Amino acid sequence: METASFPYKIHQCSKCPGDTAYYCESCPCDLCPQCKENHVKDLKTIDHDVVSQHNKINYIPTQEVCVRHPSHVYTKYYEPCQVLACNNCQTHRKYKKIDVQTAYKTKRQQHRGTIHTIRSEALFYRPVLLPGIKTDFKTCRTEFSRFQSEMLTKAQTLKNFINFVTYDLLHNVFCDFDFKHRCLKQTIEMGRHIVSLQEYELRYVQPEFTFSALQFLSFTKTALPQIHITLHTSQLSMTESFNKEDVMESLSAIQITERGNRRVGNQCLLKLTSGAEFHQSLTLTDVDHCYHISCVTSDRVWVSDGNNLILTDTTGVPLEPQPVKDLCSDDIFTGNGLHTVNSENELIYINRNYDINKLSMDMKTTTTFIERTDSTWVPLCVYWSPSSGDLLVMMLRRLPWGCKVTRYNQSGQLAQTIQHDNTELGLYRVPHHITENNNGDVVVSDFEFGAVVVTERGGRHRFSYTGPPSGPVLLPCGICTDALSHILVCDGTTKTVQMLDKDGQFLSHLLSEPQEMGPPWSLSYDVNTHRLWVGSWWDKKVCVYRYITRQDALTGALVYRESRGQHDKGYSGVLQDWYTVDRERHPVLVWKP
Ligand SMILES: [Zn+2]
Ligand SMILES: [Zn+2]
Ligand SMILES: [Zn+2]
Ligand SMILES: [Zn+2]
């Protein structure tokens, strides 16, 4: 039994009567293996730091004996060569040595992110792919036999074709008679040609006694055009026998298409809970409102009011006093959608000069990402798209009034401009926030228009959402989309967060005048934990809610682990078979002992 080797008294899991083997540093609590599985997979606790019990008490299991000096144990670690040494070891003397315990802790720390991803994502998602692979396994024989027969037909056609060409070569091109005949024909042709050229030359230098200007002129008119000065007889070849198109068609008819990696849609992995559940809240100290929020990780968020843009952890206290000193603070469009965060956790924001800047994760380096070059347009709001890696910028021109969406690629180059109808009744009036949905739709909340305006990626208008049926006028502000392609929008009129599907159908009021905070004004969706961050307009509160959970039946990883534990060979076991129950979603693996 695994827990038997621990050098302390075994105590109980804090969630069930099982023996504890793990420890959650975030809760904190003790966990048995089963409860630990659930803990790292549950979206409620997915970002917790779970360590094994021996890490909790900083215990390193055994002192290991040096292979070169059996009476000594390893004490040092040489980083450049990644080797261990005891006090007696003479090798690698010139390198700086690290104490084994320190090296162990440092290495563990370095691998924490990877382990977290494996535990909470990979082990959870990968088994979901198994049913698909099994289905393919069943159908691939039929699929490929179709290709096989097609290929055999093609091969036969090609063979026939080659036979024909060979025959043609022997009987027409290289056959004795034809070859001689063609040469003879060419000799005669060339002879005639030489004669006509000589005649032409003679006419030109005609001797004096027969000189006639008339004759020369009539010759140039009639006979000359028929002389082909550049005539050459062709070299013998067999190209006539081949028809390039036939060969190409014969060889290219079988199409092999690359289908890419296996994927599982979020629809199979995630589902909505019965309603939004309050997760945590933070009260801010250095901003007065939450006009716009951009969540970075499950415990870091950028918040801006009209003047300040700060990064805070869950305490609400800024990590730095004033990390952004040149935030744009236009008097009309104050603080709406001015910032976003990219996959490197860098902040992208609109500055006072309407340039778009990038601030590094450590808040030490600011670079100009997109310089403002056209003074007629001002950027209103920005959104970095996790799916495409592009930056979407909503631009406004005041004279004449007009809006356009520009798309920049990762290196800051303009990739696309979607300009809309510039009349006063155009697609947008005063867009406040911009975001993108998983299907590529550009989603904009327009406060003046009272609508969520959605266009497809190319800019064609898809729909405008103006609130639930028979509801009051919508005053849309903060907006975001989630992993299930829902659109979430804050409504200033009803003080709600409304959820619609990707086609604009109202689904529910996700939040309705929440007690924990003032009216919802700004939104940010955390793609890793699937939590919704909501900022309030008139108080200093940001609340985090959970409304998405993982599908229940996805326990493949657990089954895998249990199966592996059932036989002695551990990792070297051979997967013999596996089958599914529960409508092909619940793989069970059978291991060969
Ligand atoms: Zn337990
Ligand atoms: Zn925990
Ligand atoms: Zn070395
Ligand atoms: Zn040694």
Side-chain angles (χ1 to χ4, degrees):
M1 196 186 199
E2 198 187 356
T3 47
S5 61
F6 290 117
Y8 52 86
K9 194 169 167 287
I10 291 165
H11 48 129
Q12 221 180 27
C13 169
S14 45
K15 316 258 177 210
C16 79
D19 293 337
T20 178
Y22 297 92
Y23 176 71
C24 175
E25 292 179 337
S26 312
C27 280
C29 67
D30 293 310
L31 297 163
C32 71
Q34 174 71 62
C35 291
K36 174 247 169 191
E37 289 283 345
N38 298 338
H39 206 70
V40 297
K41 272 194 267 176
D42 190 342
L43 291 178
K44 187 177 178 178
T45 48
I46 193 168
D47 50 343
H48 285 196
D49 286 326
V50 178
V51 296
S52 58
Q53 281 288 358
H54 64 75
N55 281 111
K56 179 194 171 190
I57 56 163
N58 283 326
Y59 168 74
I60 292 181
T62 45
Q63 298 209 309
E64 284 156 271
V65 175
C66 177
V67 285
R68 289 175 294 270
H69 310 95
S71 58
H72 290 74
V73 292
Y74 288 122
T75 52
K76 292 166 289 184
Y77 179 72
Y78 295 98
E79 181 67 43
C81 307
Q82 307 192 343
V83 291
L84 284 161
C86 74
N87 287 332
N88 245 23
C89 279
Q90 297 299 312
T91 53
H92 303 95
R93 271 277 149 102
K94 60 179 188 246
Y95 293 120
K96 193 173 157 260
K97 58 181 186 283
I98 317 167
D99 161 61
V100 171
Q101 300 250 348
T102 314
Y104 174 75
K105 278 180 205 157
T106 316
K107 287 278 169 193
R108 272 192 64 93
Q109 195 60 30
Q110 284 168 1
H111 289 268
R112 225 179 72 175
T114 317
I115 293 299
H116 180 262
T117 312
I118 291 171
R119 274 180 182 169
S120 58
E121 302 291 328
L123 282 175
F124 176 71
Y125 289 145
R126 293 302 181 271
V128 183
L129 297 171
L130 287 172
I133 297 171
K134 187 163 187 187
T135 312
D136 281 1
F137 179 76
K138 280 184 205 147
T139 56
C140 69
R141 193 183 288 265
T142 333
E143 284 274 310
F144 282 101
S145 66
R146 191 169 59 81
F147 280 118
Q148 207 173 16
S149 66
E150 212 173 297
M151 279 164 147
L152 283 173
T153 316
K154 290 287 160 198
Q156 191 55 51
T157 314
L158 199 63
K159 191 164 170 267
N160 293 347
F161 190 71
I162 290 165
N163 286 346
F164 168 76
V165 172
T166 316
Y167 179 88
D168 191 46
L169 215 59
L170 290 174
H171 295 269
N172 296 327
V173 183
F174 287 147
C175 84
D176 203 33
F177 168 76
D178 189 67
F179 188 67
K180 278 180 185 163
H181 178 79
R182 282 170 69 180
C183 287
L184 189 65
K185 216 175 126 199
Q186 287 194 356
T187 314
I188 295 163
E189 255 176 47
M190 193 51 82
R192 281 187 191 145
H193 186 56
I194 290 166
V195 169
S196 68
L197 290 176
Q198 278 171 344
E199 197 183 329
Y200 170 51
E201 201 263 347
L202 193 69
R203 294 271 179 187
Y204 185 74
V205 293
Q206 48 186 305
E208 248 169 75
F209 56 91
T210 59
F211 178 82
S212 158
L214 181 72
Q215 263 188 21
F216 181 73
L217 289 172
S218 72
F219 168 77
T220 55
K221 188 184 168 191
T222 56
L224 193 61
Q226 287 163 28
I227 295 170
H228 305 290
I229 296 165
T230 53
L231 177 87
H232 288 94
T233 49
S234 62
Q235 294 185 53
L236 292 183
S237 75
M238 45 191 191
T239 49
E240 301 96 284
S241 303
F242 289 98
N243 183 336
K244 213 198 278 180
E245 276 69 38
D246 283 351
V247 181
M248 275 167 64
E249 199 197 327
S250 160
L251 292 175
S252 66
I254 298 169
Q255 296 285 327
I256 295 164
T257 45
E258 185 60 58
R259 289 165 65 199
N261 290 340
R262 284 176 193 276
R263 276 164 187 272
V264 184
N266 280 327
Q267 313 293 338
C268 307
L269 301 168
L270 303 167
K271 63 175 184 186
L272 290 173
T273 60
S274 54
E277 193 185 324
F278 173 76
H279 183 75
Q280 68 184 136
S281 73
L282 43 141
T283 306
L284 305 154
T285 57
D286 275 28
V287 288
D288 298 326
H289 315 278
C290 306
Y291 284 156
H292 189 56
I293 54 176
S294 297
C295 119
V296 189
T297 57
S298 64
D299 58 356
R300 291 275 187 285
V301 65
W302 285 97
V303 186
S304 62
D305 59 12
N307 308 302
N308 254 330
L309 173 55
I310 56 141
L311 178 67
T312 173
D313 58 16
T314 47
T315 63
V317 180
L319 300 177
E320 290 227 347
Q322 204 192 356
V324 176
K325 291 177 181 65
D326 61 343
L327 181 71
C328 167
S329 52
D330 191 291
D331 45 2
I332 306 174
F333 312 110
T334 301
N336 289 301
L338 291 178
H339 50 92
T340 183
V341 169
N342 69 10
S343 59
E344 265 91 70
N345 291 348
E346 295 166 311
L347 174 80
I348 296 169
Y349 68 96
I350 303 170
N351 83 353
R352 211 169 282 148
N353 304 322
Y354 299 111
D355 297 324
I356 294 168
N357 280 1
K358 209 187 239 183
L359 177 65
S360 64
M361 196 181 152
D362 60 7
M363 295 188 273
K364 288 196 167 71
T365 327
T366 307
T367 46
T368 307
F369 184 51
I370 297 153
E371 205 183 335
R372 189 196 192 198
T373 47
D374 184 349
S375 62
T376 51
W377 293 91
V378 287
L380 282 185
C381 44
V382 288
Y383 177 71
W384 182 83
S385 157
S387 58
S388 63
D390 293 341
L391 183 74
L392 293 173
V393 184
M394 176 60 83
M395 309 280 272
L396 177 84
R397 184 187 54 201
R398 292 171 202 210
L399 283 169
W401 198 266
C403 294
K404 65 176 179 183
V405 176
T406 49
R407 183 185 284 272
Y408 296 89
N409 66 17
Q410 264 143 327
S411 43
Q413 286 161 329
L414 183 67
Q416 189 192 13
T417 302
I418 310 163
Q419 187 139 9
H420 298 287
D421 187 2
N422 284 329
T423 64
E424 223 186 320
L425 296 167
L427 211 44
Y428 309 115
R429 271 180 216 159
V430 183
H432 272 197
H433 294 85
I434 185 168
T435 188
E436 193 185 53
N437 212 343
N438 299 323
N439 58 0
D441 283 357
V442 177
V443 181
V444 172
S445 71
D446 195 314
F447 198 76
E448 289 291 309
F449 228 138
V452 174
V453 183
V454 177
T455 58
E456 50 94 54
R457 198 184 187 284
R460 193 177 50 82
H461 181 242
R462 282 198 63 217
F463 61 87
S464 289
Y465 170 79
T466 54
S470 69
V473 176
L474 189 80
L475 284 178
C477 29
I479 199 160
C480 69
T481 60
D482 67 22
L484 295 168
S485 301
H486 297 126
I487 298 167
L488 307 170
V489 61
C490 293
D491 174 33
T493 313
T494 56
K495 304 179 179 71
T496 56
V497 174
Q498 302 181 2
M499 177 161 63
L500 13 158
D501 71 10
K502 65 179 194 309
D503 301 313
Q505 289 302 307
F506 171 78
L507 296 177
S508 69
H509 285 105
L510 196 64
L511 294 174
S512 221
E513 299 191 47
Q515 291 162 3
E516 303 84 19
M517 63 188 301
W521 187 261
S522 46
L523 294 177
S524 185
Y525 179 78
D526 180 356
V527 290
N528 295 311
T529 61
H530 304 290
R531 293 174 195 158
L532 182 69
W533 293 67
V534 187
S536 166
W537 184 70
W538 55 258
D539 65 17
K540 302 174 170 196
K541 260 187 152 177
V542 173
C543 291
V544 184
Y545 294 89
R546 283 179 292 107
Y547 69 103
I548 282 179
T549 186
R550 286 177 157 173
Q551 297 270 14
D552 307 320
L554 302 170
T555 51
L558 205 61
V559 175
Y560 176 88
R561 287 193 166 191
E562 282 164 358
S563 315
R564 202 179 61 194
Q566 274 166 7
H567 56 86
D568 302 335
K569 286 188 177 171
Y571 291 95
S572 61
V574 180
L575 183 65
Q576 196 178 38
D577 188 21
W578 64 278
Y579 53 91
T580 58
V581 291
D582 187 24
R583 282 180 288 133
E584 297 278 313
R585 276 228 309 266
H586 201 137
V588 175
L589 297 101
V590 180
W591 296 85
K592 197 183 234 169

